[in-house]
Amino acid sequence: MAELPASREVTMTPVDDGDEIVRELDVYVSSNLIEQLYLLQFPLRPLYRPYGDQGALSEVRLRPVQQRLEMDYQINAMKATHDEDTAEYKTSKQTLKSTLVPPRTNYAVAVLRGDTLHLSAIDSTVQLKPSFGYIDSEVEKLKMMEQKLEEHGIAEEEKPEEPEELPQPLQVQYKKKETERQAAARNRSHAYLKKKEDEEPWVKMKCLPAESAESQEMFEKLFCLSSNIPIPFDIASHRYLSLMNPSVKDPYANPSI
């Protein structure tokens, strides 16, 4: 059997590819707005036509634990785009309801000031789409009215005389204690999650114009104030490059993870 050559350390030398470095930036991570930044997506509207053309934004509310967001826009009936058929539902607002987007990677807001780049982590990403709850409520009202009319009609009709019921034996059942697996499945059910969502109260948010002083004060929180605290870099260079390019399989990753 041939003997394998001894392993050698390969030294990599920088290659001048003509792509020169034109600017270097110091990067800082701000934690002033940790768990407070949301990325809002509006998949049904193009960039050139944001919501607000049908009326002004009147209210924003949030359920922080469930990370649910709702936005109300007033409906201007004088607009040329107003649908007159919606008048029968007696609604004066359009509500946008959010759905949580599962994270696939980590996102951050980056702001540049001078030769420093400041990053703030985004806590959640939500997509907002129109809610048609007012239609559902009207349909539910019609169903209840129809049910009452049917019950009233049956009560007035002459019912046939029912035969006397004989005593029936009672059947007793013993319910087994719920296992941990069954409890976990119940907690993941739609009914349970909907119940937990409805139990959390809404927190009304304050809508601020982008040019207001309060918005500017909030914008300043995106900058890291303690810029003299260094971030420890205790990772190998090859591992760092693999993390920066997740599309390439990491040969140094632990296969058991």
Side-chain angles (χ1 to χ4, degrees):
M1 181 180 292
E3 184 178 357
L4 296 175
S7 60
R8 296 179 301 172
E9 184 178 353
V10 179
T11 304
M12 300 181 64
T13 57
V15 179
D16 185 7
D17 57 358
D19 191 8
E20 63 175 336
I21 298 175
V22 296
R23 189 178 182 185
E24 291 186 357
L25 302 173
D26 293 331
V27 180
Y28 300 97
V29 178
S30 173
S31 58
N32 298 324
L33 297 175
I34 190 169
E35 297 184 355
Q36 298 183 46
L37 289 178
Y38 281 64
L39 175 61
L40 308 185
Q41 297 178 344
F42 302 89
L44 301 183
R45 284 293 184 103
L47 183 63
Y48 63 85
R49 188 171 173 256
Y51 286 100
D53 54 352
Q54 75 279 25
L57 179 65
S58 60
E59 184 177 310
V60 179
R61 49 192 174 273
L62 174 70
R63 280 174 169 159
V65 178
Q66 303 293 329
Q67 296 180 327
R68 301 290 183 183
L69 184 69
E70 288 188 358
M71 306 173 72
D72 290 340
Y73 285 89
Q74 294 297 324
I75 295 179
N76 188 352
M78 303 303 294
K79 289 279 187 178
T81 56
H82 177 65
D83 187 2
E84 295 182 357
D85 293 338
T86 60
E88 61 178 302
Y89 297 109
K90 299 178 182 179
T91 179
S92 60
K93 64 181 180 180
Q94 181 184 34
T95 300
L96 302 183
K97 192 173 181 179
S98 72
T99 54
L100 193 63
V101 179
R104 296 192 176 185
T105 186
N106 298 321
Y107 290 96
V109 176
V111 288
L112 184 64
R113 175 172 287 176
D115 289 332
T116 59
L117 183 68
H118 300 256
L119 302 177
S120 298
I122 292 178
D123 184 49
S124 298
T125 301
V126 296
Q127 290 187 350
L128 289 118
K129 300 178 183 179
S131 172
F132 299 98
Y134 59 93
I135 297 181
D136 296 336
S137 61
E138 290 294 327
V139 172
E140 190 66 26
K141 288 179 182 178
L142 290 175
K143 288 182 178 179
M144 293 179 64
M145 290 177 61
E146 291 176 357
Q147 185 178 0
K148 288 182 178 179
L149 290 175
E150 290 178 0
E151 293 176 352
H152 182 70
I154 293 174
E156 291 186 349
E157 291 180 0
E158 292 185 1
K159 296 183 180 180
E161 188 174 330
E162 298 181 358
E164 184 179 353
E165 294 186 359
L166 298 176
Q168 299 290 333
L170 296 178
Q171 185 177 2
V172 180
Q173 294 181 348
Y174 294 93
K175 186 177 180 181
K176 294 182 179 180
K177 185 179 180 180
E178 190 177 39
T179 64
E180 294 183 1
R181 185 175 181 179
Q182 291 173 335
R186 178 175 54 80
N187 292 342
R188 290 194 303 267
S189 66
H190 174 75
Y192 177 81
L193 295 177
K194 186 70 171 65
K195 180 176 179 294
K196 293 295 291 184
E197 178 183 343
D198 294 339
E199 286 178 352
E200 183 182 2
W202 287 105
V203 178
K204 288 189 177 182
M205 311 297 291
K206 190 176 181 180
C207 307
L208 301 173
E211 63 276 5
S212 66
E214 293 172 290
S215 295
Q216 184 61 34
E217 181 182 352
M218 192 64 63
F219 176 75
E220 289 297 323
K221 292 184 178 181
L222 295 174
F223 295 92
C224 182
L225 302 177
S226 304
S227 57
N228 296 325
I229 302 177
I231 300 176
F233 188 82
D234 53 357
I235 187 173
S237 58
H238 55 261
R239 176 67 173 155
Y240 176 74
L241 292 175
S242 298
L243 293 174
M244 291 293 290
N245 188 14
S247 60
V248 179
K249 185 177 180 181
D250 183 10
Y252 303 95
N254 188 348
S256 62
I257 298 179

